[in-house]
Each structure stands twice: as structure tokens, then as C-alpha cells.
């Protein structure tokens, strides 16, 4: 919440001095903060406000963040065609810059979008594994896109009935986000859901108890 207050102050400041570049970055920062808080409607509103400014500016990094943030915001609203347009644009930037992080992030978004659309589990797994390999080699690791890739990966395995193969994916995900408490909590949620689907209620309850203890300090 303190971060949101600072971002609002920054936006007001850049507006008062007629600095559209600074204002666009403050709006993108607000969208990212809302994403962390799972406030997707507010996130989409911030992105809509920023879009006009970013379109008028020659700021490729701002465009990169606009595409990166727009993909999950649109996915969660079921606007898959629009999400795919941003995905193509983000992938093109990654290729043009030869940037491993951007390429890995775009590939993770692709795996998540393929999963949402119910595409071939084998294709989802292949795409997710490519994203995981790219993003695990970036420092610092990018927790959200990595988790999006691992979630798509585990979901595709479940669709194939490969229950025994899911736990190693969660183990790898937990290791990949070991320095991110919010990421660790999200992996616990996935483990608890899997335990419930398997009918392991006692294990699910233990995981949820562990999660409750960790969640107190999270947004």
C-alpha cells in the first residue's frame, strides 16, 4: 500500500511538470502493484490509462512492460485474442534485443495461454520447459513468469493423467522461487490443490496450515 501511495504521488508529480514518460512509468508501476495484489480490474484500468501515453512515446522498455503486464490481465478476463497480440509483440522484442529474460517471459506467457485455451498437453509441456530453462538462468529469477510456466506444465501433466510427474515439477518450482515468499506461497497453494484432487485431505490441511503461517506477511 505504501508503494501504491508513492506511485500515485509520482504520477501526480509527473503530470504537474508535463512529463509524459515519467507519468507512463508511474502508471505501469501502479499496474504491476495491482497485479501483485491480484486486483485485476484495477490493473486493467491502470494499463488502459498508460496505453495512450506509451503509444505516443519512443520508449521500447515501456512497451515491453505494457505487453508483459497486459497478457495476464487479458488472460484473466478471457480476452485471449488480445492477449495473443501482446504476446506476439513481446516475443518480437525478445528476438530483436536477443534478451533471454524477455524471450523466457514471452515463452512462459505462451505456455499459460496454450493451457487456458486447452491446447495439446504435449505442446504446453514443451513450451513450459523451454520457458523454465530460459528463466532459471536469469538473475534475479523472474518469479511470476516462472510460476506461470510451472503452473501450465503441471496442469498439462494432470490432463495427461501423469500424476506422479507433477510433484517433481512443484519441487523445481519451489526451488526456483526460493527467494520469493509470495512465490513460495503460490507453490504451496498448487500443492494443496493437488492433494485435494488426490483425496489426501490430511496432507492438504497440513499444507494449508503451513500456508496460513506464511501468508501473514504477504500482500
Amino acid at each position: 500500500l505504501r508503494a501504491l501511495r508513492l506511485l500515485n504521488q509520482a504520477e501526480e508529480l509527473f503530470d504537474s511538470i508535463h512529463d509524459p514518460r515519467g507519468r507512463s512509468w508511474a502508471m505501469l508501476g501502479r499496474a504491476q502493484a495491482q497485479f501483485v495484489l491480484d486486483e485485476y480490474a484495477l490493473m486493467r484500468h491502470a494499463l488502459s490509462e498508460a496505453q495512450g501515453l506509451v503509444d505516443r512515446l519512443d520508449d521500447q522498455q515501456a512497451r515491453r512492460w505494457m505487453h508483459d503486464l497486459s497478457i495476464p490481465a487479458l488472460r484473466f478476463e478471457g480476452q485471449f485474442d488480445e492477449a495473443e497480440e501482446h504476446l506476439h509483440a513481446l516475443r518480437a522484442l525478445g528476438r530483436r534485443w536477443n534478451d533471454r529474460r524477455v524471450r523466457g517471459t514471452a515463452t512462459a506467457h505462451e505456455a499459460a495461454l496454450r493451457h487456458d485455451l486447452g491446447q495439446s498437453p504435449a505442446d504446453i509441456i514443451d513450451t513450459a520447459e523451454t520457458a523454465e530453462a530460459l528463466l532459471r538462468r536469469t538473475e534475479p529469477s523472474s518469479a511470476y513468469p516462472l510460476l506461470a510456466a510451472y503452473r501450465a506444465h503441471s496442469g498439462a501433466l494432470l490432463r495427461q493423467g501423469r500424476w506422479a510427474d507433477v510433484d517433481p515439477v512443484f519441487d523445481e518450482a519451489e526451488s526456483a522461487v526460493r527467494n520469493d515468499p509470495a512465490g513460495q506461497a503460490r507453490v504451496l497453494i498448487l500443492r494443496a490443490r493437488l492433494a485435494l484432487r488426490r483425496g489426501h485431505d490430511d496432507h492438504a490441511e497440513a499444507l494449508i496450515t503451513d500456508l496460513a503461517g506464511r501468508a501473514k506477511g504477504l500482500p
Side-chain angles (χ1 to χ4, degrees):
L1 295 178
R2 182 166 178 260
L4 281 170
R5 285 196 296 271
L6 290 171
L7 287 163
N8 287 335
Q9 290 172 13
E11 188 178 334
E12 291 171 4
L13 170 64
F14 289 124
D15 190 31
S16 69
I17 63 175
H18 307 292
D19 183 342
R21 188 182 303 275
R23 189 159 172 255
S24 71
W25 276 104
M27 290 176 176
L28 290 170
R30 179 153 52 91
Q32 188 171 30
Q34 300 292 0
F35 184 32
V36 171
L37 296 170
D38 294 331
E39 294 283 2
Y40 302 116
L42 293 174
M43 177 189 180
R44 285 287 296 127
H45 180 69
L47 289 171
S48 295
E49 287 185 321
Q51 182 76 63
L53 288 173
V54 172
D55 286 346
R56 294 197 301 270
L57 295 169
D58 183 22
D59 188 335
Q60 294 302 303
Q61 282 293 342
R63 289 181 185 277
R64 174 258 164 126
W65 281 102
M66 173 62 71
H67 297 314
D68 189 4
L69 291 167
S70 294
I71 295 165
L74 290 163
R75 277 182 47 232
F76 296 153
E77 291 186 350
Q79 298 182 41
F80 300 121
D81 289 343
E82 293 89 340
E84 194 163 12
E85 290 176 9
H86 284 281
L87 172 60
H88 290 323
L90 183 63
R91 186 188 293 121
L93 285 176
R95 285 197 301 264
R96 189 184 314 153
W97 297 344
N98 193 26
D99 186 310
R100 179 185 296 154
R101 183 186 298 275
V102 177
R103 288 188 291 116
T105 298
T107 308
H109 284 312
E110 181 183 358
L113 187 57
R114 284 176 178 271
H115 185 267
D116 288 347
L117 293 171
Q119 295 183 2
S120 160
D123 289 344
I124 295 168
I125 292 167
D126 183 58
T127 305
E129 288 179 337
T130 300
E132 292 155 15
L134 286 166
L135 291 170
R136 282 199 308 268
R137 297 188 341 242
T138 62
E139 290 294 338
S141 61
S142 304
Y144 170 72
L146 257 176
L147 285 175
Y150 282 120
R151 185 168 187 172
H153 190 167
S154 61
L157 289 171
L158 289 174
R159 288 177 186 175
Q160 291 181 324
R162 295 166 58 186
W163 294 77
D165 293 333
V166 176
D167 281 324
V169 173
F170 287 163
D171 292 342
E172 192 174 289
E174 194 166 8
S175 175
V177 297
R178 60 186 174 277
N179 296 321
D180 184 327
Q184 291 276 336
R186 291 185 184 278
V187 176
L188 271 180
I189 291 170
L190 293 175
R191 288 189 186 277
R193 285 178 172 168
L194 179 62
L196 286 171
R197 289 184 67 173
R198 286 172 163 166
H200 300 166
D201 294 353
D202 289 344
H203 182 45
E205 185 177 358
L207 289 167
I208 292 168
T209 300
D210 187 5
L211 175 64
R214 299 188 192 200
K216 292 176 183 177
L218 298 177

